[in-house]
Amino acid sequence: MTQATPPAVYEPRAGRAIGRIFVSREFSVFAALAVLIIVTEVVNPRFLSAQGIKDLLLNSTIFVIMAVGQALVIITKNVDLSVGSILGLTAYGTGAVFATFPHIPLPFVFLIGIVFGAILGAINGFIVTLAGVPALVITLGTLYIFRGINNAWAGSNQYFVGNEPAEFGNMSVQTLFGIPWFALGALVIVIIFAIYMFSARSGRDLYAIGSDTDAARLFGIKVNARVVGAFVACGALTGLAGVLYASRFNSVGADTGTGFELQIVAAVVVGGVAIFGGSGTVTGAAIGAVLLTTMTGALAALNVSKFWQQAIVGVLIIAAILLDRILSIRTARKLRVSEARNV
Amino acid sequence: MSETTLPVKARSNVSRLFFGRNANTVYALVLIVILASIFVPYFAGTATVSFLLIDAIPILLMAMPMALIIITGEIDLSVASTAGLSAAVMGVLFHDAHWNIVWVFVACIVVGLLCGAFNGILISTIGLPSLAVTIGTLALFRGLALVVIGDNAVADFPVDLTTWATSTIGGTGIPTFMIIVAVVVVIFGIILHFTPFGRALYALGFSKEAASFVGIRVNRSKFWLYVASGGISAFAGIFWVLRYSSAQSDSVQGLELSVVAAVLLGGVSIFGGSGGIVGVVAGVLIIRTVNYSLQLAGLPDTVLTIVTGTLLVLSVIAPSVTARIRRSAERKRSRTLIHDATAA
C-alpha cells in the first residue's frame, strides 16, 4: 500500500483557535453539507419540512453510529469491512430475541445487540492482532463468514414483517421537540466518542498507533490491546446500529446490511479520516455519514434521476481523498516554512 | 512475507518448483479434487469440469492483473464495477444504438481501458492510496453502469455467440472460452516471471524507494497495471454478458471480493513482493472446487460464503503463524548458542 503522508500537527497560537475551526477538515465537510441542504431547500421547499427533517435524521442515525465505530478502527490504521455483515447478524438476532422472548424489556434487547456486536468485533480484533495480518484481508474473510452464518440462520425467514412488537417499532418514530430520539442518541454517542478521542489517554493512543505502529510499541503503548479495543467498540456500535435498524425497518432477513461496509468506509473517508490511519476525527466521520445520506435524499428532492446517485457518491469519495491530499501537501509546506523560521 | 529476516538458504529452481508456496497451493488443489471425487457423488465427470470451469472464468481473468497489482503492494477493488460498466455499455450499444457486435466489443474494451487509466492516474500520477481510490471508483463505475443502462436488461444478443460462450470442446467438458483464458493466463505468467518488467514488480512490492533507486519506473509500471486491469475486467464483463445472455446494471456485482480472496489464497502476499501466477490459478480453482463440491453435496449456495471466507482467513493466517513459530525457534537457538559461547 502507498504510504500516506505523515499527518502534520503543528502548535497553533491561542488567538488562531477560531480561525483553525474554519480551516479544519470537519468544517469543510460541514460546509459541503450546508450548501447541499440550502441548494436543495431553495429548489424544493418541501425538502426541509418537519417530516423531511425527521426522515433525514432517522436515515442518518444508523450510518452515523456505524461511522463512529469505523473511524476508531481506521484511525489505528486498520479497517473493518465486516460491519455490513455484523449489522445483518445483530439485526436478525434482535428479531430472534423477540421471537423467543416476546415480552423481553427493551433495554435488554439493546444490551444483547451491543454485546453480540462486540463479540463479533472481538473476533475480528483478535485474529488481526494475533496473526499480524492486515485487517483488510481478515475482515474481508469475516465479511463472508458472518454473512454466511446469517444466511444459514435466516434462510428465507424475515422478522419484523408486521412491525411487531409495536412498542419496539414505535421507538423509531417517537420524537422530542420534533427530533427523533434515535438521532439524539446518535448525537450523544458522537459527543462521547469525540471527547474520548480528544482527551482520553487511550484515545490518543489510537492516533499514535495509526501514525506509526512500531514507534507506538516502543513508546510502551499496548498496541494489540488498543487495536482489539477499537474493533470491539466498532462491533458494539454496529450491534447497536443493528438493533436500531431492526426497529426502523420492517423486514430483516438474510441479506440485511449487504454492501453497507463500502458506504461506511466512504462516509468515514469523506469525513476526513485518513484511510491509512493517524488522523481525522469521529466528528468528521459522523458529518461524512450525514452528508452521504443527505445526498441520497437531496438527489431525490432535486429530481435527479436515481440512477445518478451512486456515481455521485463515487465522485464524492474521490474528491474527498483528493482534497485530503492537497490539504496535507499545503500543511507540510507551511510546516517547512515555520520550522525554518524557528531555527 | 517481507518482514522475515532469517538467513534462508536460496532454493534451487527445482526444489522451488516442487516445495515452494506455489507448489503447495497446487498440491492442495489436487488433494481437494481427489477427496471430492471420492466422497462427493457425481463429482467425477465431464459435467463437473464444464460447470466448475465456466464459473471460474470471470474470476480467473480478473485475478491475473489483480495478482500483479497486489504483488506491487497496491489493490484494485473496482474490477467488478469496471466489468459491470462494460456490460452495461455492451447492452446499450448493441440494443439501442444497433452497433455491429464487433465494434461493440471494441468499445467495451476501450471503456475498460479508460476506467483503468482513470484509476492509474489517481494512484500513480497523483499518488493517492489505491485502497481508497478504488473504493471510490467501485461506486463511481457501478453508478455509471446504472446511468448508462438504468433498469433495463438487454437479452437479445446473437444466439450463436451466446451458445458459443457456453459451449465446450468436444466431449471433454472444457469450455471453449477457456482457450482464450489460458492464453491470457500464459501471457500474464510470462510477463510476471520472465520479463524485466515483471521482476521489477516484485522489487516494487518490497520497497518502492529501493525500486526507484535501481531505476525502475515505479509510477509508469503501476499506471499500466491498472490499465491492464481495466481492459481485462471489461473483457470479463463481455464474457459475463454472453454467458448469462443478459446485460444489466448489476452484472458482475460483488465479484471483486472473490477475486481478491482467490489471489490471496493463491499465495500472493497482501504486503506485496511475493506470489506467482501458478499459485493464483490454483487458488481460483480451489475456491471454485470447494464451493462446487459442497453444492453437489447439498449445501445451499448462500451458506457457501462461510467456506470462501474461512479459506481466505486461513490462507493469510497460515504463513504468518508458521513464520512466527520459525522466528521463535530461531530465537531459542541463537539464545542457546549465546549461552554456550558465554559458558565456554
Side-chain angles (χ1 to χ4, degrees):
Chain A
M1 302 288 136
T2 33
Q3 290 290 314
T5 40
V9 182
Y10 62 105
E11 297 295 324
R13 266 172 251 157
R16 290 204 188 144
I18 294 168
R20 209 158 54 107
I21 291 176
F22 288 101
V23 296
S24 74
R25 190 65 175 72
E26 290 76 39
F27 183 78
S28 63
V29 187
F30 187 75
L33 177 62
V35 169
L36 176 70
I37 291 177
I38 292 169
V39 168
T40 315
E41 173 64 13
V42 169
V43 177
N44 183 351
R46 267 180 312 174
F47 183 62
L48 283 190
S49 64
Q51 186 59 36
I53 293 177
K54 214 168 98 178
D55 282 344
L56 215 64
L57 290 172
L58 267 180
N59 290 339
S60 313
T61 304
I62 289 163
F63 275 3
V64 164
I65 293 174
M66 289 172 83
V68 168
Q70 186 71 256
L72 298 182
V73 174
I74 292 185
I75 284 171
T76 66
K77 213 183 206 165
N78 288 290
V79 68
D80 187 351
L81 292 181
S82 70
V83 287
S85 303
I86 294 181
L87 179 111
L89 267 180
T90 49
Y92 192 80
T94 307
V97 166
F98 275 118
T100 331
F101 311 102
H103 301 296
I104 187 170
L106 291 183
F108 280 108
V109 177
F110 279 89
L111 192 65
I112 292 171
I114 291 171
V115 171
F116 189 20
I119 293 171
L120 295 175
I123 294 174
N124 282 331
F126 278 118
I127 302 179
V128 168
T129 51
L130 290 182
V133 181
L136 174 72
V137 192
I138 297 298
T139 56
L140 183 58
T142 52
L143 179 159
Y144 280 123
I145 297 173
F146 294 161
R147 179 61 60 194
I149 294 173
N150 196 358
N151 283 329
W153 189 9
S156 56
N157 187 25
Q158 295 230 326
Y159 281 126
F160 304 108
V161 174
N163 244 345
E164 290 291 323
E167 191 193 354
F168 182 62
N170 284 342
M171 270 172 45
S172 57
V173 287
Q174 279 157 2
T175 55
L176 182 74
F177 308 124
I179 300 169
W181 274 109
F182 279 12
L184 290 175
L187 184 65
V188 170
I189 288 173
V190 173
I191 292 173
I192 289 174
F193 275 90
I195 293 173
Y196 167 76
M197 289 299 281
F198 186 73
S199 54
R201 175 69 179 272
S202 49
R204 304 311 299 173
D205 284 355
L206 297 184
Y207 286 100
I209 294 168
S211 303
D212 191 333
T213 313
D214 293 332
R217 194 169 279 133
L218 284 177
F219 193 67
I221 294 172
K222 295 190 188 94
V223 172
N224 284 357
R226 294 279 182 265
V227 170
V228 171
F231 272 102
V232 170
C234 178
L237 287 170
T238 309
L240 173 63
V243 179
L244 299 182
Y245 187 97
S247 164
R248 170 138 169 76
F249 296 98
N250 54 8
S251 65
V252 172
D255 58 354
T256 300
T258 307
F260 275 21
E261 55 278 346
L262 292 180
Q263 294 190 50
I264 297 298
V265 173
V268 172
V269 171
V270 166
V273 177
I275 190 85
F276 286 110
S279 78
T281 63
V282 168
T283 322
I287 302 174
V290 177
L291 178 62
L292 279 195
T293 21
T294 309
M295 181 72 76
T296 314
L299 289 177
L302 291 175
N303 266 333
V304 176
S305 149
K306 65 177 182 189
F307 300 127
W308 275 100
Q309 275 171 25
Q310 202 175 359
I312 291 177
V313 169
V315 170
L316 207 62
I317 298 171
I318 295 167
I321 318 166
L322 264 175
L323 181 68
D324 269 348
R325 183 74 180 178
I326 295 165
L327 288 181
S328 77
I329 290 173
R330 274 182 49 183
T331 329
R333 191 176 299 155
K334 215 182 279 173
L335 257 181
R336 244 193 336 261
V337 173
S338 68
E339 276 176 8
R341 270 201 207 111
N342 281 340
V343 168
Chain B
M1 213 95 350
S2 55
E3 52 208 359
T4 44
T5 49
L6 291 178
V8 187
K9 246 188 295 173
R11 283 191 175 124
S12 73
N13 280 342
V14 179
S15 93
R16 197 186 297 167
L17 197 60
F18 289 103
F19 301 105
R21 184 79 205 277
N22 272 334
N24 289 346
T25 322
V26 176
Y27 294 148
L29 173 63
V30 172
L31 187 72
I32 289 168
V33 170
I34 293 174
L35 286 179
S37 314
I38 297 174
F39 292 111
V40 181
Y42 310 113
F43 182 84
T46 49
T48 296
V49 177
S50 71
F51 278 122
L52 209 154
L53 289 182
I54 207 157
D55 280 342
I57 286 174
I59 302 183
L60 200 52
L61 281 173
M62 292 193 266
M64 291 300 117
M66 183 73 88
L68 269 57
I69 287 175
I70 295 184
I71 284 173
T72 62
E74 304 284 343
I75 200 161
D76 185 356
L77 292 178
S78 70
V79 284
S81 295
T82 307
L85 177 55
S86 101
V89 168
M90 182 170 164
V92 168
L93 287 186
F94 183 77
H95 184 79
D96 299 340
H98 305 290
W99 281 28
N100 184 318
I101 192 76
V102 177
W103 290 113
V104 173
F105 288 159
V106 172
C108 287
I109 300 286
V110 169
V111 166
L113 294 173
L114 288 177
C115 289
F118 185 65
N119 278 330
I121 289 172
L122 288 176
I123 292 162
S124 67
T125 316
I126 306 185
L128 301 177
S130 58
L131 177 63
V133 167
T134 55
I135 284 179
T137 50
L138 181 154
L140 175 63
F141 298 156
R142 180 65 62 187
L144 289 180
L146 265 165
V147 172
V148 169
I149 199 164
D151 280 337
N152 308 324
V154 176
D156 55 352
F157 294 102
V159 178
D160 32 335
L161 257 178
T162 54
T163 47
W164 178 81
T166 51
S167 67
T168 55
I169 309 170
T172 56
I174 298 172
T176 321
F177 204 84
M178 208 60 199
I179 299 173
I180 304 177
V181 176
V183 171
V184 171
V185 169
V186 169
I187 290 174
F188 271 89
I190 291 174
I191 290 177
L192 179 63
H193 293 291
F194 300 107
T195 65
F197 173 82
R199 305 311 297 172
L201 298 182
Y202 288 96
L204 234 168
F206 268 118
S207 164
K208 256 203 307 287
E209 289 75 22
S212 64
F213 275 128
V214 296
I216 294 166
R217 291 190 167 134
V218 174
N219 286 342
R220 189 183 289 190
S221 307
K222 272 190 200 161
F223 176 79
W224 287 112
L225 281 186
Y226 279 99
V227 172
S229 180
I232 296 282
S233 301
F235 187 59
I238 294 174
F239 170 74
W240 187 279
V241 170
L242 292 179
R243 155 141 170 57
Y244 294 102
S245 347
S246 171
Q248 292 148 244
S249 63
D250 64 348
S251 296
V252 211
Q253 189 149 28
L255 215 65
E256 62 277 341
L257 298 186
S258 306
V259 175
V260 173
V263 169
L264 297 178
L265 187 65
V268 175
S269 163
I270 187 72
F271 299 108
S274 78
I277 289 295
V278 177
V280 171
V281 174
V284 174
L285 294 180
I286 285 179
I287 288 194
R288 282 305 314 149
T289 313
V290 171
N291 277 340
Y292 184 73
S293 45
L294 291 177
Q295 253 169 321
L296 272 185
L299 254 74
D301 247 2
T302 48
V303 179
L304 289 178
T305 53
I306 300 180
V307 179
T308 315
T310 313
L311 282 178
L312 174 62
V313 171
L314 287 181
S315 70
V316 288
I317 290 182
S320 161
V321 169
T322 49
R324 185 173 285 198
I325 292 170
R326 210 182 299 156
R327 237 194 332 261
S328 78
E330 185 77 10
R331 212 175 293 143
K332 206 176 282 172
R333 213 184 56 185
S334 63
R335 210 175 291 145
T336 51
L337 278 178
I338 293 169
H339 183 78
D340 291 352
T342 48

